[in-house]
Amino acid sequence: SQKIEQNSEALNIQEGKTATLTCNYTNYSPAYLQWYRQDPGRGPVFLLLIRENEKEKRKERLKVTFDTTLKQSLFHITASQPADSATYLCALNFGGYQKVTFGIGTKLQVIP
Amino acid sequence: EAQVTQNPRYLITVTGKKLTVTCSQNMNHEYMSWYRQDPGLGLRQIYYSMNVEVTDKGDVPEGYKVSRKEKRNFPLILESPSPNQTSLYFCASSFGAPSSNSPLHFGNGTRLTVT
């Protein structure tokens, strides 16, 4: 069965630095991959989507890469701010299936 | 404002007492889904619906029921709740099915405790 692996340990970085979060998956390549942000006590909020034929996607300070050879996506936040502190979830859809499967998320703490 | 609304936000109940968690979206979305979120396990899909009167099981459907009589509403029913259903529940919707790349819009969650 498919597995999605995100670093379950919290990531602490200094304000202004670039945060890099990792999402690895096993077996089949997904049709697309999404990243969501979740704040405590709130529902996840969609950030970015990258398709299997795309290598990189950007939105303001966010950048996502997708390497189907490594079976990995990297999520970068440049010039990080304390307001970026949250849990970030990776989610995959495997083409033809009507479901989105989520990783357990990585908690990011940006220290002022 | 476009949103997914779940009620109640918090619910404490006893084993065996039937309950319903409501979910409503005002975006005319076709796809709706229920997830539960548990520490160390992440979000797991319970049921989903592609459209009115079309529902299907997710990864953890046991002990749950759903219905989709109207496009905007997708209630989650626990006929006989048990303590292992204590969890944080999220309803989500999207314009199209997941295979169409549509992002999910989530409600703010329902924290259920079954004693």
Side-chain angles (χ1 to χ4, degrees), chain A residues 6 21-22 32 36 38 44 50 55 57 61 67 71 78 84 96 100:
Chain A
Q6 292 187 259
L21 285 67
T22 304
Y32 65 79
Y36 290 78
Q38 186 174 22
I50 188 165
K55 292 262 189 264
K57 211 71 169 291
R61 293 186 296 111
D67 188 327
K71 296 186 188 294
T78 58
D84 295 326
V100 174

Side-chain angles (χ1 to χ4, degrees), chain A residues 48-50 56-64 78:
Chain A
L48 279 169
L49 179 150
I50 188 165
E56 182 179 298
K57 211 71 169 291
R58 290 176 186 261
K59 179 182 175 183
E60 297 172 352
R61 293 186 296 111
L62 308 180
K63 184 178 87 171
V64 174
T78 58

